[in-house]
Amino acid sequence: MDDTVATPWKIRAQSVGKVYDTAAGPFTAVEDFDLTVGDGEFVAIVGPSGCGKSTVLRMVAGLEDVSSGRIEIARGSDPGKPTNSVVFQEYAIFPWKTVIENVAFGLQMRGISRAERLDVARHWLDRVGLAKFAEYYPHQISGGMKQRVSIVRALANDPEVLLMDEPLGALDAQTRVVLQEELLRIWEETRKTVLYITHSLEEAVLLGDRVVLMSAQPGRILDIYQIDLPRPRSFETTNLPAFADYRARIWDKLSAEVTRAMEMQP
Amino acid sequence: MSDNRRAILSLAGALVLLHLVLALFGLWRDWAWPAIGVSFILLVLVCERLGRMVPARWRATYERALALGFPLLVLILWQLGARFGLINPLWFPPPSEIARALWEVSVNYDRFSGTSLLGRPWLIPSAWAEGGLPAVGALLSESHLLATVGRVLAGFLLGAIPGILVGVVMGVNQTVRLMLDTSLSAIYVLPKIAIFPIVMLMFANPFGEGPKIVVVALAVFILMAINAMAGVRQIDPVYLMAGRNYGAGPWQLLRHVILPGALPVIFAGLRIALGTAMIVIISVEFLRAKQGVGYMTYYYWEVLVPEKMYAGLVVVMAMGVAFTALLYWLQRRLMPWRR
Ligand SMILES: Nc1ncnc2c1ncn2[C@@H]1O[C@H](COP(=O)(O)OP(=O)(O)O)[C@@H](O)[C@H]1O
Ligand SMILES: [Mg+2]
C-alpha cells in the first residue's frame, strides 16, 4: 500500500467514514478511508459495484457530509477558482440548455459575463470537436457526445480538482475507447488533479498514476497500486507487457472482492 | 396489390348492396341504425386496405384526409338523417340549422337583455366616432363571448400563478409538502362548483364577476399546485447535484434547474386546468349569470331553441380549441428544447 505523494497534496481524506441512516438502521457505506492525492495526479478508484465509490466521490465534492473524519481540498493561488467539478455517470447535462449553455454553466453561476463565458465554452467545445453542435440540445446528440459535453463543462469551469464518477460507464465499448484516448490527451495538456471512479480495471490502469482498490461493504481501501507506465499513454499502452502485469496483479484481489460482494447480496 | 384492390371493391360493394337491398324491401327505415353500424365496420375495413396501398410519401396526406374526412362524413350523414326524419331534429338539429343559428346569434342583438354574442364589432367604427373609447367599451361589454373569455382568463391567471408558486415550494420543501398535501388532495376531489355558493357569500355583490372568477381560480389553483409539486419532485436528483456542484445558489437553482425541470409537467397540468376552468365557468354561467356563453346556451335551452343551444356549444368548443392553441404556442416559446 502506497499512500505517499511526492508533490504537494491536493486532496486529503483522513479516516473518512459514512454511515447512512436508513429505515433498517444505520448502514456503514464507507469506513477508514485514507487517501492523499498529489497536485496534478490522476488517481483511479476501482471496486465492486455498491462498495461506496460514489459515496466517496460525493463526499469529496461536498455534495454529501462525512459521518467521521475529514476531507480537504487544497486551494491554489487563485481564490476565484471552484474547488471541484464533478462529471456524473448519467451525464447530468441539463436537457433544457443548449450544448454551449451547458458548458458555460459553471462560469455563468460564478457571474462571468455572457460574452466571456461563451468564448471559454466555444474554446472547449472546439477542443473536443463539438463546435458545430454548440446550439444543439442534448436530446439531439449521441451518448458519447453528451458525455464529452459533461466533461468539458467540468474543464471549462477550471476547478482545483476534477472528480469523475464512472464517466464512461454508460457508453458502448468503441465510444469508450475513443473517449479514454481523448481524456488522456486532454489530461496530458491540462495536468489537472483527477479523482476518477470506474468499475473497469483496464480503464483504471490505463488512465491512473495510481489505482485505489476498494473492498465491498463497508467500503475500505484494500490496496493502492502505483502504475509506472510511460506517459503519454494511449490505447497502444494496453498492449504493453507491463500493462498486462498490473492488470493481472490487481485483478487477483479485485475478483476475490467482487465474488465476496456478490455473496453478501441477499 | 390486386388482392387489396379486389377486397376493397367487394367490401365497398357489400356496403352499397346492404343499403340497396334494405331500401328495396322497404326495410331501410326500421333497420337504419344496425345498417349504419355495419356500414361503419365495412368502412373501417375498406380504409384499412386503402391505407395499406398508400405509398409512404402520401402517408401524412392520407392520415389527415381520414382524420378530417370522417367527421365531415358524419356531419353530412347527420344533415341527411335529420332531413329525412331519421334523427329527432329537436335533439340533433341538422348542422346547416346550427350554422344558421350561429350566424344569427353572431349578428343579432338581444334588445331585452342588452347582449350579443360578439359585441357587434362592426359597430366599433361608428361607436368610436360618437363616443370614443368608453362607447367602444360599452359596446364590447355586451358580448357573451368576451364575458366568458375574460372570466376564464382572469380566473386562470389568478389561480395558475399562485398555484405554481405554492406547488414549487411544496416540491422543494418537504415540511410544507407534508403540511399541505393532505388538504390539497381533499379539496382536489371536491367539485369546485359545490363551493360556488360559499364563494358568493364572501362577496359584497354575490352576482357580480368576483365569485365567478374566484371559483375558476380556485379550481386552477389546486390543480396547478398539485402538478407543479409533482413536476418538481420528478426532477432527477442528479440535476440538482450538478446545479449545486457548479455553484448555483438557491435562487439560481430555482431558475436554472428546478423551474425548467418541472416545466413539462407544469404545462401538462395547465392543459388539464384549462379544461377544468372551462367546465367550471360554463357551469357557473348555467347557474348564475346574466351574460356569458354558458348563460346564452342555457337560455336557449329554456326557450327551447335547440339549434341556438348547439351554436353556444360550438362557441364553447371554439374557445377551448383557441385556448389550447395559445397554450401550445406558449409552451413552444418557453420550452424550446422540446423540438
Ligand atoms: N442515500 C443513501 N441512503 C442509504 N444508503 C445509500 C445511499 N446512497 C448509497 N447508499 C448505499 O451505500 C452503498 C454504496 O453506494 P455507492 O457509493 O453508490 O456505491 P458504488 O458507487 O461503489 O456503486 C450501497 O450499498 C448503497 O445502497
Ligand atoms: Mg456509483
Side-chain angles (χ1 to χ4, degrees):
Chain A
M1 189 126 115
D2 180 12
D3 191 27
T4 53
V5 287
T7 49
W9 62 268
K10 202 72 190 167
I11 305 172
R12 193 163 65 180
Q14 292 173 305
S15 43
V16 170
K18 179 72 191 183
V19 180
Y20 284 113
D21 179 29
T22 69
F27 174 82
T28 308
V30 178
E31 205 172 59
D32 284 336
F33 191 93
D34 279 290
L35 183 67
T36 309
V37 180
D39 196 4
E41 199 186 10
F42 196 122
V43 171
I45 301 183
V46 280
S49 98
C51 77
K53 305 183 293 294
S54 297
T55 304
V56 167
L57 187 112
R58 283 200 299 270
M59 289 192 292
V60 175
L63 290 167
E64 193 134 35
D65 293 328
V66 298
S67 304
S68 57
R70 53 188 273 154
I71 296 178
E72 293 163 284
I73 293 178
R75 297 204 127 280
S77 48
D78 182 358
K81 258 193 182 184
T83 54
N84 72 82
S85 296
V86 178
V87 177
F88 298 89
Q89 173 173 6
E90 318 84 335
Y91 319 136
I93 54 174
F94 305 117
W96 45 87
K97 289 184 181 289
T98 58
V99 163
I100 193 162
E101 284 170 347
N102 264 293
V103 176
F105 182 70
L107 301 170
Q108 183 181 15
M109 292 304 101
R110 279 190 280 140
I112 287 164
S113 78
R114 187 177 165 77
E116 194 182 333
R117 67 177 187 251
L118 291 187
D119 260 3
V120 175
R122 209 164 286 123
H123 160 81
W124 277 104
L125 285 174
D126 234 354
R127 280 176 81 162
V128 292
L130 283 180
K132 55 178 184 295
F133 300 101
E135 302 303 329
Y136 281 51
Y137 283 101
H139 78 87
Q140 297 169 306
I141 60 178
S142 69
M145 282 151 98
K146 278 184 211 161
Q147 195 52 292
R148 274 197 192 90
V149 172
S150 166
I151 290 167
V152 290
R153 172 174 70 176
L155 288 163
N157 206 24
D158 193 21
E160 299 282 352
V161 304
L162 205 56
L163 307 175
M164 303 196 172
D165 190 355
E166 301 196 19
L168 312 184
L171 301 176
D172 63 82
Q174 297 91 307
T175 312
R176 226 179 134 106
V177 170
V178 170
L179 275 180
Q180 281 168 355
E181 294 213 297
E182 218 158 276
L183 266 177
L184 280 169
R185 179 172 59 77
I186 292 174
W187 183 78
E188 221 52 77
E189 290 161 12
T190 59
R191 288 282 170 167
K192 280 258 171 241
T193 309
V194 181
L195 191 62
Y196 189 100
I197 284 169
T198 174
H199 59 241
S200 155
L201 179 55
E202 281 80 7
E203 190 167 291
V205 175
L206 173 62
L207 298 176
D209 292 319
R210 282 187 296 155
V211 172
V212 175
L213 180 59
M214 278 183 75
S215 73
Q217 276 185 42
R220 282 199 192 135
I221 295 186
L222 266 186
D223 220 336
I224 300 179
Y225 302 85
Q226 182 80 34
I227 308 295
D228 287 320
L229 292 168
R231 295 218 185 245
R233 299 179 192 166
S234 70
F235 191 61
E236 305 293 307
T237 309
T238 58
N239 296 328
L240 298 178
F243 181 90
D245 277 353
Y246 283 122
R247 192 179 51 187
R249 244 177 70 207
I250 304 172
W251 176 244
D252 259 359
K253 269 208 164 160
L254 178 57
S255 63
E257 231 7 72
V258 171
T259 316
R260 201 174 69 81
M262 283 195 303
E263 278 162 2
M264 269 164 32
Q265 231 109 90
Chain B
M1 181 68 182
S2 68
D3 256 9
N4 249 337
R5 201 160 288 174
R6 204 171 310 126
I8 290 174
L9 281 178
S10 49
L11 284 167
L15 207 161
V16 175
L17 205 64
L18 169 73
H19 289 273
L20 277 182
V21 167
L22 282 177
L24 211 62
F25 289 95
L27 292 169
W28 197 80
R29 192 159 283 260
D30 295 332
W31 288 89
W33 287 112
I36 287 172
V38 172
S39 305
F40 177 72
I41 294 169
L42 288 172
L43 190 64
V44 168
L45 293 176
V46 167
C47 290
E48 285 259 299
R49 295 233 151 53
L50 221 54
R52 271 181 234 159
M53 287 167 59
V54 174
R57 63 198 188 91
W58 292 108
R59 193 77 217 165
T61 316
Y62 165 76
E63 281 169 8
R64 208 165 320 128
L66 202 57
L68 295 177
F70 185 73
L72 198 67
L73 180 69
V74 170
L75 282 183
I76 292 171
L77 291 179
W78 178 358
Q79 178 75 31
L80 294 176
R83 161 74 54 84
F84 295 110
L86 254 187
I87 39 188
N88 186 343
L90 201 59
W91 303 345
F92 301 108
S96 61
E97 287 285 304
I98 297 172
R100 210 163 48 88
L102 189 60
W103 173 254
E104 252 169 50
V105 293
S106 299
V107 298
N108 280 2
Y109 170 67
D110 188 82
R111 224 173 298 275
F112 176 66
S113 63
T115 56
S116 64
L117 178 59
L118 305 173
R120 293 182 291 172
W122 54 92
L123 290 183
I124 289 177
S126 60
W128 176 260
E130 274 167 40
L133 203 57
V136 175
L139 195 61
L140 293 181
S141 71
E142 73 185 35
S143 162
H144 289 301
L145 182 63
L146 288 183
T148 305
V149 167
R151 286 166 190 154
V152 171
L153 277 185
F156 200 74
L157 289 179
L158 230 58
I161 293 168
I164 291 171
L165 285 178
V166 169
V168 167
V169 171
M170 285 172 71
V172 172
N173 187 296
Q174 199 205 12
T175 310
V176 177
R177 178 166 66 248
L178 290 176
M179 291 192 317
L180 295 187
D181 201 9
T182 322
S183 327
L184 276 190
S185 306
I187 302 174
Y188 171 68
V189 294
L190 194 70
K192 280 353 142 248
I193 194 74
I195 313 173
F196 186 51
I198 305 172
V199 177
M200 287 208 303
L201 272 181
M202 294 175 192
F203 279 80
N205 175 9
F207 306 116
E209 293 300 303
K212 300 182 180 68
I213 292 172
V214 166
V215 252
V216 174
L218 195 71
V220 173
F221 173 85
I222 303 282
L223 249 163
M224 286 323 294
I226 290 173
N227 263 284
M229 175 181 73
V232 172
R233 301 262 290 146
Q234 55 82 47
I235 298 174
D236 190 333
V238 81
Y239 293 125
L240 300 174
M241 273 205 272
R244 280 205 289 145
N245 185 247
Y246 284 82
W251 291 110
Q252 285 174 318
L253 210 57
L254 186 69
R255 151 117 178 58
H256 291 281
V257 182
I258 295 171
L259 282 182
L263 220 47
V265 181
I266 289 180
F267 263 103
L270 284 174
R271 278 199 299 281
I272 298 170
L274 184 66
T276 308
M278 292 296 291
I279 295 174
V280 171
I281 196 60
I282 298 301
S283 339
V284 164
E285 287 178 354
F286 271 18
L287 212 62
R288 250 296 156 268
K290 295 194 181 67
Q291 205 182 348
V293 181
Y295 161 80
M296 186 187 90
T297 309
Y298 200 75
Y299 169 79
Y300 286 122
W301 180 82
E302 283 184 319
V303 298
L304 214 67
V305 188
E307 61 272 18
K308 288 190 175 168
M309 215 183 98
Y310 271 90
L313 296 185
V314 171
V315 174
V316 173
M317 280 199 302
M319 275 173 65
V321 170
F323 280 135
T324 308
L326 199 69
L327 264 185
Y328 273 115
W329 174 81
L330 197 67
Q331 182 169 358
R332 273 197 304 277
R333 289 298 302 272
L334 291 181
M335 294 173 36
W337 65 91
R338 289 260 172 136
R339 218 149 307 149

